[in-house]
Amino acid sequence: MVKLGLAGDGLKPLRVLLLAAALALCGSVASAQDGYPDQPGRDWPIYGGSYNNQRNSSLKEITAANAGNLQAKWTYHVDGLRGLESVPVVVDGVMYVSGYNRIDALDARTGNVIWQFRRQPATAANQRGAAVAHNRVYITTNDGHLLALDARTGAQIWESNGGPKVSFSGTPPLVANGKILVSGNSFSGADGGGFIQAYDEQTGVYRWTWRSVPEKDDPAYETWGGHEPGGGPIWIGGAYDPKLKIVYYGTGQPNPEWSGKGRPGDNLYSDCIVALDIDTGKLKWYFQNTPHDTHDYDSTEIVVLADMTFKGSLRKVALQANRNGYYYILDRTNGEFLQATPFVSRVDWGAVDPKTGKGIPDPAHEPTVKGTITCPSTAGATNWPSPAYNPSTGLFYVTVTEGCGVNTLASSAPDSETSYLESPRDKESWQLYTRAIDAKTGVMKWEYKQVRSNHYGPGLLTTAGGIVFSPEQFGQVSVLDAKTGRSLWHYNTGDLITASPLTYSVDGQQYLAIASGTNVFAFGLPNRAAAVGKQP
């Protein structure tokens, strides 16, 4: 169902209709067929801003010199949802705020409603984003459907559920090469494992599925030691290289999660970075960060693509700060391991072979009935909210949790999957940081100690203006100097933040935006004088 709404200054229905009509006369709002720009500018059309997930905007109105002048421009309350995890997308001055089964289209200058789409059943479950391309908005539903809406009016164009029975995990769709890629955590049953699916962008026709748990004819099946493979959920969207026509995703933990006694072996393709052919879904290569994982160290952290000189050679690389505490550099053309460096002070679950990159778990840190202290904690050295990479500074920015945890088993029974339960406890208080890592060496260049700490923090954003937009879990948002980490400005949203930020421009004015609790906040400079570093 589509309906028009009112918000903010009391925008009249006629004005809403006129705005929707004006949008309908616009050209194509984004071209995923030809590829999004490597650096998002005016628009922020997909979850990571661009295919490479660098979250590095070309906008530079807001700078380290004038960020202290930032002010809140508008706030929009998203009724009926809770704990927003989505990144709104913006195209041609329209912001699309998503939840399961719904989209709110807003005037990105004011936060006023243009149109709203609702589909039954209504749900407040967490969902992490939508995608916009060719005048269409793509969203998933909580009952395994993919929808295409008219981006200008909110009218439904098609609805697809023609693939195998699945349960989407709320990950944002990826629009690439004429296809919509969606992913989730349950394929044909609650324990069926994670998956990635492709549908035709124009028609919604099902194209292919890749599963993160191997079939019996796959050699990877032997890495489960006779145990039926399970797990490998996919909790966040992928990256895409249009020239190689490869998509890159991270997969989650094996099942059962905290005991490996019944599943000896590496347990492929859990805890992996995987590269798939965009046209066929065939696996091109994989790299496993944490073999035989017993600490829930998902590899679902965002994969960032970059081209850079590494040890004297120009390489196409994939970068990931992994939950297990290591920062990885891989050759994205073939999956070759290049380097792994710890980015937290304590990593004792195991070690990484410096030549092959293979993780070597330490049996002394296996979970036990008594409890085993392990670093990082199950929450991870970092988690699914997005890092950022700025080629101009050469720095990779990531939210980091310093701290350890205690993992316990409910039972030591060797064959009972259901008896293995996690009971994590703090060994000590965790501390969150925003850290800048040299992307080529993994060496930390600076850190910003966040105000409060618990679990894991939100994602980050960097821009050509030399800033890092750094929200914190307990509602604080800060702007940092991208070169030094110096705090330039802060604002308290008054609610938890579990999402990643975005930036966009309308009528030449740059905005920073973030979902916090059940609200979306937008910030900007007060006037043109402030935009060039002068006081208003």
Side-chain angles (χ1 to χ4, degrees), residues 356-443:
T356 66
K358 184 176 178 62
I360 307 170
D362 183 350
H365 285 276
E366 292 286 304
T368 62
V369 174
K370 181 179 179 180
T372 305
I373 299 171
T374 304
C375 312
S377 70
T378 292
T382 189
N383 212 288
W384 64 266
S386 299
Y389 167 66
N390 191 324
S392 296
T393 63
L395 298 178
F396 184 96
Y397 307 95
V398 60
T399 303
V400 174
T401 304
E402 285 280 6
C404 306
V406 179
N407 287 340
T408 62
L409 297 179
S411 169
S412 59
D415 300 318
S416 177
E417 295 180 18
T418 57
S419 69
Y420 297 115
L421 302 174
E422 183 221 20
S423 179
R425 303 187 301 273
D426 285 350
K427 173 179 178 286
E428 56 194 51
S429 297
W430 294 340
Q431 178 59 54
L432 284 166
Y433 296 88
T434 302
R435 284 185 176 157
I437 299 169
D438 186 307
K440 297 179 183 180
T441 66
V443 174

Side-chain angles (χ1 to χ4, degrees), residues 103-358:
I103 288 280
D104 292 19
L106 313 177
D107 184 330
R109 298 166 299 181
T110 64
N112 289 320
V113 174
I114 299 172
W115 55 258
Q116 294 176 316
F117 173 85
R118 300 289 186 270
R119 175 189 184 275
Q120 294 299 322
T123 175
N126 289 332
Q127 187 264 8
R128 293 176 179 173
V132 180
H134 300 124
N135 291 328
R136 295 181 180 186
V137 184
Y138 299 94
I139 60 169
T140 56
T141 71
N142 66 333
D143 56 353
H145 294 241
L146 172 66
L147 307 182
L149 310 178
D150 190 310
R152 299 158 296 187
T153 65
Q156 182 173 309
I157 299 172
W158 53 253
E159 176 176 349
S160 180
N161 67 339
K165 184 180 179 181
V166 296
S167 175
F168 294 129
S169 56
T171 59
L174 176 64
V175 188
N177 201 43
K179 299 174 183 63
I180 313 296
L181 272 64
V182 290
S183 54
N185 58 1
S186 181
F187 182 94
S188 301
D191 297 318
F195 67 90
I196 300 166
Q197 284 187 339
Y199 291 82
D200 184 273
E201 180 187 351
Q202 293 301 314
T203 64
V205 172
Y206 166 75
R207 294 303 184 193
W208 55 256
T209 295
W210 179 83
R211 295 187 62 189
S212 60
V213 293
E215 304 285 355
K216 289 186 178 180
D217 59 353
D218 187 331
Y221 188 88
E222 300 301 321
T223 67
W224 289 79
H227 185 280
E228 184 67 25
I234 297 172
W235 297 107
I236 201 63
Y240 176 57
D241 187 321
K243 293 182 179 179
L244 298 176
K245 292 191 174 181
I246 295 176
V247 291
Y248 306 85
Y249 279 78
T251 68
Q253 84 293 328
N255 284 342
E257 296 175 274
W258 291 282
S259 177
K261 293 180 180 180
R263 49 173 174 84
D266 288 348
N267 308 143
L268 294 171
Y269 298 97
S270 68
D271 291 359
C272 284
I273 297 171
V274 298
L276 309 180
D277 184 295
I278 184 69
D279 291 321
T280 66
K282 299 296 183 183
L283 182 68
K284 303 282 287 186
W285 58 258
Y286 71 88
F287 176 85
Q288 190 172 40
N289 302 92
T290 312
H292 191 71
D293 178 21
T294 57
H295 297 97
D296 195 21
Y297 288 153
D298 291 356
S299 290
T300 53
E301 291 72 40
I302 285 288
V303 179
V304 176
L305 309 183
D307 295 347
M308 67 184 191
T309 301
F310 180 81
K311 295 184 178 179
S313 299
L314 183 63
R315 306 294 289 260
K316 293 180 178 296
V317 299
L319 311 174
Q320 189 192 59
N322 191 271
R323 192 160 163 169
N324 69 13
Y326 282 87
Y327 166 74
Y328 291 85
I329 305 176
L330 307 177
D331 186 312
R332 73 174 182 270
T333 66
N334 55 20
E336 178 188 356
F337 169 76
L338 300 178
Q339 185 173 285
T341 312
F343 62 92
V344 288
S345 61
R346 289 173 290 181
V347 178
D348 60 16
W349 63 266
V352 170
D353 186 307
K355 293 183 178 180
T356 66
K358 184 176 178 62

Side-chain angles (χ1 to χ4, degrees), residues 433-453:
Y433 296 88
T434 302
R435 284 185 176 157
I437 299 169
D438 186 307
K440 297 179 183 180
T441 66
V443 174
M444 186 179 73
K445 293 299 183 180
W446 57 256
E447 68 179 13
Y448 170 78
K449 187 176 182 179
Q450 297 190 7
V451 176
R452 293 181 64 189
S453 299

